[in-house]
Amino acid sequence: MLDLERLRALHSVATYGSVSAAADVLHVTTSAVSQQLAKLERETGQKLLERNGRGVRLTDAAELLVTHADRILSLVERAQADLEAHRGAVVGELALAAFPTAIRGLMPAALRSLRADHPDLRVILNEEDPMQSIPRVVRGDLDMAVVQDWNNEPLPIPEGLLRGTIGYDVADVALPAGHPLAGRDEVELKELAGDPWISSTPGSICCDWLTHTLRSIDAEPRIDHMAYEFATQLALVGAGLGNAVLPRLGRCDVPEGVRVVPLRTSLSRRVYAVWREEAARRPAIRAAMNALRAAAPDQGTAPDQGAAAPDQGAE
């Protein structure tokens, strides 16, 4: 009979591309992974890895076995979720990631609530942009990720993941105090189109969104300065170096020299969680969703968010 942990080791090597990367993900040594694979080769009577330069590649037999291992590990996860659901207890471990402003604006209250209500649940939290966290949920490195998308640019969700809305986050624009429009009650984004901007690093969801949004109003974006943290962006705004889009969730203190002005045509992002379909029945997923929703500040709804898919599961 094939050993489950040896199948998991082979599956990790196939997923992450090397024995050392698999060892990092499985939190074991490279020697332990190599030993598991050697035992699996003896069990199957098949060679599973071949040298490929400084690395390894999977043989045809290994590729076949990985296909079955993917289904087997998915069934094991579903069985574990069903057992937890049958027991009805919020227990075990929940590996969770969230983007930076959700870490600051949602997670402290949500984690405090989970610890008080479900002391047998251990939550492990990481800070990650959705571009990194969603693939990790798909691979099984994370149980859940708190992510976001904007009302004019929905985020595609891979097949096999379910989602649940936590709330909506309205964005304003941060302007230098000396900006000609800083004293206005509200502005249109197109009035600022030719200005220099400050945003997060290229490839992050916020930077990509700002680029897309400015181009949608026929303005080629001029992003002069890039910083991941909103506090750093605001410091640059205060120095008169450009404007920044400032979501209200987890907003830090606004420094001197910065004026926050609402946008006449509202821009908002939907904050939601994603998890694997196989884990949908876990009480821990449902408990985490309840805690996150309770922690979310009430900023109303975004009626123009209709392009996004409906919530699924964990209701």
Side-chain angles (χ1 to χ4, degrees):
M1 181 178 294
L2 296 173
D3 182 89
L4 183 62
E5 291 309 310
R6 293 166 195 167
L7 286 177
R8 196 184 305 278
L10 178 64
H11 186 268
S12 295
V13 172
T15 301
Y16 300 101
S18 70
V19 172
S20 59
D24 288 341
V25 170
L26 297 172
H27 305 293
V28 298
T29 64
T30 54
S31 176
V33 173
S34 296
Q35 290 175 26
Q36 293 279 43
L37 295 175
K39 291 176 181 177
L40 187 58
E41 285 186 332
R42 290 196 294 271
E43 284 179 346
T44 60
Q46 301 271 359
K47 188 172 182 60
L48 300 177
L49 297 180
E50 293 179 343
R51 288 287 177 190
N52 183 28
R54 294 184 177 180
V56 295
R57 71 174 184 86
L58 273 63
T59 64
D60 291 344
E63 295 282 5
L64 177 64
L65 194 54
V66 166
T67 301
H68 290 290
D70 190 57
R71 293 197 295 268
I72 290 167
L73 294 172
S74 177
L75 285 171
V76 168
E77 183 176 12
R78 191 182 296 271
Q80 290 172 333
D82 286 347
L83 283 171
E84 287 186 24
H86 179 73
R87 181 181 173 186
V90 180
V91 296
E93 189 172 282
L94 189 73
L96 174 64
F99 60 96
T101 46
I103 290 273
R104 184 169 59 247
L106 286 176
M107 300 315 303
L111 294 182
R112 182 173 61 243
S113 173
L114 283 171
R115 186 171 63 179
D117 295 341
H118 309 289
D120 292 327
L121 176 67
R122 181 190 179 203
V123 180
I124 301 172
L125 178 63
N126 295 277
E127 180 179 299
E128 287 186 349
D129 190 80
M131 300 301 188
Q132 286 75 51
S133 63
I134 288 177
R136 294 190 66 205
V137 176
V138 172
R139 293 195 303 259
D141 302 345
L142 295 170
D143 297 306
M144 175 183 278
V146 176
V147 301
Q148 45 127 334
D149 59 15
W150 292 88
N151 56 344
N152 61 341
E153 192 174 13
L155 184 68
I157 298 299
E159 185 178 352
L161 296 189
L162 303 181
R163 73 173 90 197
T165 299
I166 296 168
Y168 294 94
D169 186 21
V170 176
D172 304 308
V173 63
L175 302 175
H179 193 285
L181 303 182
R184 293 264 294 270
D185 292 332
E186 57 184 14
V187 296
E188 286 284 3
L189 191 63
K190 63 185 178 182
E191 297 179 87
L192 307 167
D195 289 1
W197 289 86
I198 298 159
S199 185
S200 52
T201 52
S204 66
I205 194 168
C206 288
C207 185
D208 290 351
W209 167 82
L210 180 60
T211 300
H212 164 83
T213 301
L214 291 174
R215 285 175 177 164
S216 73
I217 56 174
D218 298 322
E220 187 58 29
R222 179 185 162 191
I223 301 174
D224 287 352
H225 306 289
M226 288 162 282
Y228 205 66
E229 289 291 336
F230 282 123
T232 306
Q233 293 180 25
L234 288 177
L236 295 170
V237 174
L241 299 173
N243 312 329
V245 173
L246 185 63
R248 296 176 185 176
L249 178 65
R251 181 174 295 181
C252 56
D253 293 336
V254 177
E256 290 292 329
V258 176
R259 299 294 180 267
V260 177
V261 183
L263 289 161
R264 184 177 300 125
T265 301
S266 178
L267 289 173
S268 64
R269 55 183 181 175
R270 184 176 65 152
V271 180
Y272 57 99
V274 296
W275 57 89
R276 289 181 302 284
E277 186 176 0
E278 292 87 348
R281 295 195 64 203
R282 284 191 67 189
I285 296 288
R286 189 175 302 110
M289 280 301 303
N290 290 339
L292 287 164
R293 284 170 171 160
D298 183 12
Q299 297 188 40
T301 59
D304 52 350
Q305 192 93 19
D311 290 353
Q312 304 161 300
E315 296 299 320

